[in-house]
Amino acid sequence: MLADVTQGSSNWTLKLTWLQKQQPTQQLLEEEASTQLEILEIWESLESIWKQKSREDWLKEGDQNTKFFHASTVVRRKRNHILAIEKNNGDWLRCRATIGNYLNENFTNLFTLSNPVISEELEVLIDSSITAEENAELCRLPTYDEVKTIV
């Protein structure tokens, strides 16, 4: 069954490639859309088959403290490990600590506040919810007596 689905996928892909090389007409565009839907359905069924197959292996081999469980964990760790990363200037980083520092620095720069300035033209578009006096009251630090009373 898997071979049939894979072969069908290949045929549809060739058909789609041929359709995309033709001069576009309404009929060819509709046929291309139909072919893309067929390919999507085939890939979804393939994904379902492989998911079921991996689930069968997992059930058969077990989720115990076995060679299978340890091997699958090692494979997942290797797949998720970043061995090297290329910087914007083309240099490669291969040391784990250097990669970590580089990523940390980039995310820090990415999410650092840039202190945008809002022009007066845009300020009139935003209605004030509180008055200047209320804002000053909200921003001030409480006095010692106020804290003592509350506590």
Side-chain angles (χ1 to χ4, degrees), residues 18-20 22-35:
W18 181 84
L19 284 169
Q20 290 175 338
Q22 304 306 308
Q23 280 291 2
T25 64
Q26 186 63 32
Q27 181 182 0
L28 286 177
L29 291 173
E30 289 172 4
E31 194 170 342
E32 179 183 353
S34 172
T35 303

Side-chain angles (χ1 to χ4, degrees), residues 108-116:
T108 302
N109 291 339
L110 183 63
F111 294 109
T112 300
L113 205 60
S114 62
N115 296 327

Side-chain angles (χ1 to χ4, degrees), residues 44-149:
E44 286 174 351
S45 66
L46 272 174
E47 184 179 353
S48 175
I49 289 170
W50 283 111
K51 190 182 234 182
Q52 290 170 1
K53 186 167 175 48
S54 70
R55 182 71 180 149
E56 287 174 17
D57 289 345
W58 190 260
L59 290 172
K60 183 172 50 177
E61 298 296 334
D63 183 13
Q64 304 165 13
N65 193 5
T66 63
K67 287 182 191 178
F68 174 78
F69 177 71
H70 288 292
S72 64
T73 302
V74 168
V75 167
R76 186 173 51 252
R77 278 189 196 145
K78 283 186 178 183
R79 189 179 323 125
N80 292 337
H81 186 73
I82 297 173
L83 297 174
I85 192 165
E86 185 178 8
K87 292 173 58 173
N88 292 337
N89 64 5
D91 293 341
W92 283 90
L93 302 175
R94 288 178 171 53
C95 173
R96 183 178 177 143
T98 310
I99 292 172
N101 290 336
Y102 176 72
L103 293 175
N104 190 14
E105 181 181 310
N106 278 333
F107 278 106
T108 302
N109 291 339
L110 183 63
F111 294 109
T112 300
L113 205 60
S114 62
N115 296 327
V117 177
I118 300 174
S119 71
E120 289 183 27
E121 296 169 352
L122 295 176
E123 278 188 14
V124 297
L125 297 175
I126 303 170
D127 293 332
S128 295
S129 299
I130 60 173
T131 64
E133 294 82 23
E134 291 171 327
N135 189 39
E137 182 67 22
L138 289 170
C139 291
R140 77 170 179 79
L141 293 175
T143 64
Y144 177 79
D145 290 334
E146 289 174 327
V147 173
K148 187 174 180 182
T149 302

Side-chain angles (χ1 to χ4, degrees), residues 8-20 22 26-44:
S9 171
S10 176
N11 292 340
W12 286 107
T13 306
L14 291 173
K15 181 179 180 182
L16 180 63
T17 304
W18 181 84
L19 284 169
Q20 290 175 338
Q22 304 306 308
Q26 186 63 32
Q27 181 182 0
L28 286 177
L29 291 173
E30 289 172 4
E31 194 170 342
E32 179 183 353
S34 172
T35 303
Q36 286 177 339
L37 286 174
E38 289 288 333
I39 291 172
L40 184 62
E41 288 176 13
I42 290 170
W43 280 110
E44 286 174 351

